[in-house]
Amino acid sequence: MMLVTGVEMQESVDRRSTAAEMWGKFRALGGPQHLLDGAAPAIGFLAGYAAVNAKIGVLVALGVAGLISLYRLIKGDSVKVVSVSLATVVVFSLFVGITGEGRGFYLPDLIICAVATAAFGITLLSGRPLSHWASRKLGLERAHTGDPEARIRLHHKVSLAWFAFWALHLLIMVPLYLANKVVLLGTVALVLGKPALVVMLAVTWLWIRSPRTAAPLYVTDGSGNTRHVTR
């Protein structure tokens, strides 16, 4: 018969609490809606391209993005956020005109993947993993921890996972781009785009904030004594 210790029970509760916090913030930021809004123009481009040509695909993508932007503004969403989403579709569409090919719609994706792969790779080699800096900026990582070196070792693993994540994108998508398999490339981009990114962010959140890996928080009281704070 397996006995569950108090520590194990507390860790289980902490894991559920961390997952609930992550999901709550994702919903509060409109994550599910942003996933759908981001996928719709891409699906529109693929449908237009497959049915007619790249020009029609661009027009459909821009039309869908415009309608979504109008709907979100009517709902009261931030003008800045809506503008960025619409501008992203416009930039992707411009690359079709610049390259004169339907596959150009996915060239920005490849550029982003290449830059991200290089960024994580370079910071890993420098010993200053990018995930550590990003986590501090996003509030995932505590500013005051008891063992900074342990956190760097953890983020080395996290950044290595992100390096592999972006490199895998290139490994799969570049051959499809070079082979001009636009429909297949677009389908893969839909899966490896925001949905995969959200999953990777969720895994990173749970990894960093896990009870077994979360950084201990230390505070100093008025008497100059430092103590550990239980989260």
Side-chain angles (χ1 to χ4, degrees), residues 31-43 68 72 85 89 190 194:
Q33 186 63 50
H34 286 311
L35 281 176
L36 293 174
D37 293 351
I43 293 173
I68 290 174
R72 290 174 63 183
S85 297
V89 179
L190 278 172
K194 283 189 176 181

Side-chain angles (χ1 to χ4, degrees), residues 99-123:
T99 62
E101 300 176 315
R103 63 180 177 175
F105 191 82
Y106 303 100
L107 189 54
D109 262 334
L110 296 179
I111 294 173
I112 292 170
C113 292
V115 170
T117 302
F120 277 100
I122 292 170
T123 58

Side-chain angles (χ1 to χ4, degrees), residues 185-199:
L185 175 62
T187 304
V188 170
L190 278 172
V191 176
L192 293 182
K194 283 189 176 181
L197 181 59
V198 167
V199 171

Side-chain angles (χ1 to χ4, degrees), residues 29-223:
L29 293 172
Q33 186 63 50
H34 286 311
L35 281 176
L36 293 174
D37 293 351
I43 293 173
F45 172 79
L46 274 181
Y49 176 86
V52 187
N53 56 34
K55 182 179 179 179
I56 297 300
V58 165
L59 292 176
V60 173
L62 291 173
V64 170
L67 289 173
I68 290 174
S69 298
L70 180 61
Y71 170 72
R72 290 174 63 183
L73 288 173
I74 292 173
K75 277 182 58 182
D77 285 4
S78 165
V79 175
K80 181 179 180 180
V81 172
V82 173
S83 299
V84 169
S85 297
L86 181 59
T88 300
V89 179
V90 171
V91 170
F92 276 57
S93 300
L94 283 175
F95 272 83
V96 175
I98 293 171
T99 62
E101 300 176 315
R103 63 180 177 175
F105 191 82
Y106 303 100
L107 189 54
D109 262 334
L110 296 179
I111 294 173
I112 292 170
C113 292
V115 170
T117 302
F120 277 100
I122 292 170
T123 58
L124 278 170
L125 292 174
S126 69
R128 302 176 65 182
L130 182 57
S131 66
H132 186 248
W133 174 85
S135 297
R136 294 283 291 272
K137 289 291 184 181
L138 295 173
L140 290 179
E141 187 72 35
R142 299 290 188 180
H144 305 289
T145 61
D147 190 354
E149 290 301 320
R151 302 309 294 173
I152 294 296
R153 289 194 296 271
L154 170 65
H155 279 285
H156 183 88
K157 297 176 183 177
V158 174
S159 289
L160 186 59
W162 275 99
F163 172 80
F165 175 79
W166 293 114
L168 181 62
H169 279 65
L170 293 175
L171 187 64
I172 296 174
M173 295 176 67
V174 168
L176 295 176
Y177 181 88
L178 294 176
N180 201 27
K181 302 291 185 181
V182 178
V183 175
L184 185 54
L185 175 62
T187 304
V188 170
L190 278 172
V191 176
L192 293 182
K194 283 189 176 181
L197 181 59
V198 167
V199 171
M200 190 63 183
L201 287 170
V203 170
T204 301
W205 179 297
L206 294 174
W207 195 353
I208 293 173
R209 300 296 287 268
S210 164
R212 292 184 181 276
T213 60
L217 177 62
Y218 293 88
V219 298
T220 303
D221 59 25
S223 303

